[in-house]
Amino acid sequence: MSVSIKALVAHIKDGLKLAVPADYAGIAMETTREIIRQGRRNLHIVGVPTSGFQSELLIGAGCVATYESSALTMGEHNPPPQFTRAVKSGSVGLVDATCPAVHAALQASQKGIPFMPLRGIIGSDIVNHHPDWKVIQNPLTNEEDPVILIPAIQPDFSIFHAPMADKNGNIWVGRRRELVNMAQASKGALITVEKQFDGDLLEDETYAAGTLPALYVTDFCVLPGGSWPLGFWQGNGEDSAHLKQYCQMAQTEQGFNDYLNEYVLKEASHV
């Protein structure tokens, strides 16, 4: 059964590793605001394979100790002011990666194996900054054939926004298979949804193939509009005017704090 947003976020403790999807895949923005309201600290955020406004807010609010991803981008609203400030000051640790490497590391955890082999990044400078990535010779051939072993990433929780859940906690994610990968790679998943489905998603031929079973779901919250101000692929479009306003306000620390006080720390009225 659906829980409150406060109860959902209460699962998240200081220092945990959270996997979050790219802005186009369903961002749990009200969950993000509640994380800030509950004062979480020292989080390790994994952007799958990138992140944007969600991580920007968490970093600016002082919730993040480590950011691991291939990018943090706000698209046409770039550059993200708080992330830029954090990188320049060194207040947040960065673990740089590539999109295939992030997906491969999660797939390793999803499959219960310690690493996943990858080839495409051989020769890139990023390999030199990852002592945990091991370049080995392909053991199945005698010819020169190097591969990179990417260690598994196992987040404590995946958090995202999805179209719907049923009363049993099954979550419909449609074609967003990266959300399934994230949830199955993590120890648990905390999910907000637009609505509750009347029936069992796994017994419905229309929805079963795109459903994440409740086995992988820790808790969910029915929260229409929970991705605002970001767009949602099964709902409203992006609130571009609001994101532009954020970027203007967040150019200074005082402006960012004013934004938090107005749009984050107050009880939500837009969802």
Side-chain angles (χ1 to χ4, degrees), residues 114-235:
F115 57 81
M116 186 67 71
L118 199 64
R119 272 203 180 91
I121 52 180
I122 290 177
S124 69
D125 183 63
I126 195 171
V127 178
N128 300 327
H129 298 280
H130 270 275
D132 55 328
W133 294 359
K134 305 300 182 184
V135 181
I136 68 166
Q137 167 65 20
N138 177 359
L140 302 180
T141 179
N142 293 323
E143 298 180 4
E144 182 69 17
D145 186 23
V147 294
I148 295 181
L149 305 185
I150 307 294
I153 294 175
Q154 185 181 40
D156 293 291
F157 290 108
S158 289
I159 59 174
F160 56 85
H161 188 70
M164 56 185 170
D166 64 25
K167 64 180 180 180
N168 299 317
N170 301 308
I171 310 292
W172 189 72
V173 299
R175 291 180 291 180
R176 294 294 180 191
R177 303 306 298 177
E178 67 269 40
L179 300 179
V180 174
N181 177 209
M182 283 170 49
Q184 292 181 344
S186 302
K187 298 175 183 177
L190 303 170
I191 304 166
T192 55
V193 297
E194 286 289 310
K195 63 182 180 181
Q196 187 156 320
F197 179 76
D198 184 17
D200 189 324
L201 286 163
L202 288 174
E203 292 183 354
D204 190 301
E205 288 293 336
T206 302
Y207 296 112
T211 295
L212 173 70
L215 170 67
Y216 302 101
V217 180
T218 305
D219 256 331
F220 74 94
C221 173
V222 177
L223 197 68
S227 64
W228 181 88
L230 297 177
F232 184 50
W233 51 277
Q234 284 280 321

Side-chain angles (χ1 to χ4, degrees), residues 3-271:
V3 301
S4 70
I5 188 64
K6 286 183 171 61
L8 190 79
V9 171
H11 289 286
I12 300 173
K13 307 303 181 184
D14 291 355
L16 293 190
K17 183 180 294 186
L18 306 179
V20 300
D23 281 0
Y24 53 75
I27 303 300
M29 284 305 303
E30 189 57 26
T31 301
T32 303
R33 289 184 282 269
E34 184 62 26
I35 289 172
I36 296 171
R37 288 193 288 266
Q38 292 192 18
R40 296 296 178 264
R41 292 292 182 266
N42 298 318
L43 299 175
H44 181 144
I45 302 297
V46 181
V48 184
T50 65
S51 185
F53 184 50
Q54 178 177 39
S55 293
E56 161 77 1
L57 267 189
L58 290 171
I59 289 169
C63 301
V64 180
T66 303
Y67 179 71
E68 181 174 4
S69 188
S70 55
L72 195 156
T73 174
M74 291 184 63
E76 66 181 38
H77 305 288
N78 273 330
Q82 291 299 308
F83 175 65
T84 301
R85 187 174 289 114
V87 171
K88 289 181 177 179
S89 68
S91 62
V92 171
L94 296 180
V95 181
D96 201 8
T98 69
C99 296
V102 171
H103 285 302
L106 289 170
Q107 287 168 352
S109 179
Q110 181 185 31
K111 298 175 187 298
I113 56 179
F115 57 81
M116 186 67 71
L118 199 64
R119 272 203 180 91
I121 52 180
I122 290 177
S124 69
D125 183 63
I126 195 171
V127 178
N128 300 327
H129 298 280
H130 270 275
D132 55 328
W133 294 359
K134 305 300 182 184
V135 181
I136 68 166
Q137 167 65 20
N138 177 359
L140 302 180
T141 179
N142 293 323
E143 298 180 4
E144 182 69 17
D145 186 23
V147 294
I148 295 181
L149 305 185
I150 307 294
I153 294 175
Q154 185 181 40
D156 293 291
F157 290 108
S158 289
I159 59 174
F160 56 85
H161 188 70
M164 56 185 170
D166 64 25
K167 64 180 180 180
N168 299 317
N170 301 308
I171 310 292
W172 189 72
V173 299
R175 291 180 291 180
R176 294 294 180 191
R177 303 306 298 177
E178 67 269 40
L179 300 179
V180 174
N181 177 209
M182 283 170 49
Q184 292 181 344
S186 302
K187 298 175 183 177
L190 303 170
I191 304 166
T192 55
V193 297
E194 286 289 310
K195 63 182 180 181
Q196 187 156 320
F197 179 76
D198 184 17
D200 189 324
L201 286 163
L202 288 174
E203 292 183 354
D204 190 301
E205 288 293 336
T206 302
Y207 296 112
T211 295
L212 173 70
L215 170 67
Y216 302 101
V217 180
T218 305
D219 256 331
F220 74 94
C221 173
V222 177
L223 197 68
S227 64
W228 181 88
L230 297 177
F232 184 50
W233 51 277
Q234 284 280 321
N236 296 325
E238 173 189 284
D239 188 342
S240 296
H242 181 87
L243 291 173
K244 182 178 180 180
Q245 177 188 2
Y246 165 80
C247 287
Q248 291 171 342
M249 294 179 71
Q251 294 301 317
T252 65
E253 284 298 325
Q254 182 59 53
F256 178 77
N257 290 332
D258 290 344
Y259 179 89
L260 289 185
N261 288 329
E262 179 65 24
Y263 295 105
V264 177
L265 300 179
K266 287 183 179 180
E267 290 298 319
S269 61
H270 42 264
V271 294

